[in-house]
Amino acid sequence: PQLPPRNFFPVPSNNESKEVQSEPPKGTELVRPSISETFLQKFQNLDTSSVPEEHLKAIQEYFKVSVCLDAEMVQNGNPTLPHLKKLTNGLCKNLNSEITRTLPTLELFQKALDQQLSPGLGRQRSQVSESSLVPVASRLEQLTKLLYSIEDKTKSAVFESVGYDGGHRKSLIPPVT
């Protein structure tokens, strides 16, 4: 069977240029720009003034090279997007270390609050701590939703670029495990 045309460019080998090719290989005609070109073009139109330079470079590198590697892996049956995970872990490195540093403190604080002095005081203290933590909890929830959204949107775009259906089988016969 004939495979559908690929709409991303292969990454050059080590003995070729480190830059991703800006034009498709001769003899092939693409209907739309590659996933790499699409993301880079969108990224260039964004206001990046509030983002650290190292993060900008990491995102650009992902869009130039790694998104194509993730697409290649999806096409070969591995839909985990390891390069996206590596990027998000790198972008969230300081956040992860801050969470690691703060979590034991909050757990200790929670244990102290669990030891109620009297039923009336416990309820009052709970109400105060809940209301003061709403902004922190809200920001953490917003951050979590943002990370999931980034992953979902990247997966959708990469899967679409290679014609991957998410691993859904068309057969009604259950897989043998």
Side-chain angles (χ1 to χ4, degrees):
Q2 188 178 9
L3 294 174
R6 295 168 59 178
N7 57 357
F8 61 94
F9 303 133
V11 177
S13 65
N14 287 340
N15 48 353
E16 293 179 28
S17 165
K18 291 261 182 195
E19 290 294 316
V20 173
Q21 299 170 359
S22 61
E23 295 179 13
K26 292 180 182 175
T28 61
E29 191 174 315
L30 298 178
V31 177
R32 56 187 168 142
S34 73
I35 188 170
S36 178
E37 289 174 329
T38 301
F39 280 137
L40 281 170
Q41 187 176 34
K42 287 180 183 180
F43 186 67
Q44 289 172 353
N45 294 326
L46 299 174
D47 175 18
T48 58
S49 59
S50 64
V51 180
E53 187 67 29
E54 69 215 36
H55 290 182
L56 292 175
K57 287 180 180 179
I59 293 168
Q60 286 175 325
E61 183 65 21
Y62 179 76
F63 289 152
K64 284 181 182 177
V65 177
S66 300
V67 73
C68 294
L69 295 173
D70 277 344
E72 190 85 32
M73 293 183 85
V74 167
Q75 199 168 35
N76 291 326
N78 180 1
T80 61
L81 305 182
H83 297 93
L84 173 66
K85 288 181 182 179
K86 181 179 176 186
L87 172 66
T88 55
N89 283 335
L91 295 176
C92 296
K93 182 174 67 171
N94 292 337
L95 176 63
N96 285 330
S97 64
E98 190 64 26
I99 289 170
T100 300
R101 190 177 74 76
T102 306
L103 195 58
T105 305
L106 293 175
E107 288 171 342
L108 180 69
F109 183 52
Q110 179 188 23
K111 286 178 186 175
L113 293 174
D114 285 344
Q115 299 171 0
Q116 291 184 355
L117 299 175
S118 71
L121 284 176
R123 268 183 268 141
Q124 182 182 9
R125 203 174 356 184
S126 173
Q127 291 170 352
V128 171
S129 65
E130 283 178 18
S131 66
S132 65
L133 291 178
V134 168
V136 174
S138 175
R139 293 183 75 191
L140 286 173
E141 182 181 2
Q142 181 182 9
L143 178 67
T144 302
K145 288 179 180 178
L146 183 61
L147 285 169
Y148 282 131
S149 174
I150 289 168
E151 182 179 19
D152 290 344
K153 288 177 181 180
T154 305
K155 274 187 175 182
S156 293
V158 170
F159 287 10
E160 181 183 321
S161 77
V162 298
Y164 183 75
D165 65 358
H168 300 294
R169 296 170 31 132
K170 295 190 181 1
S171 173
L172 296 177
I173 301 170
V176 177
T177 57

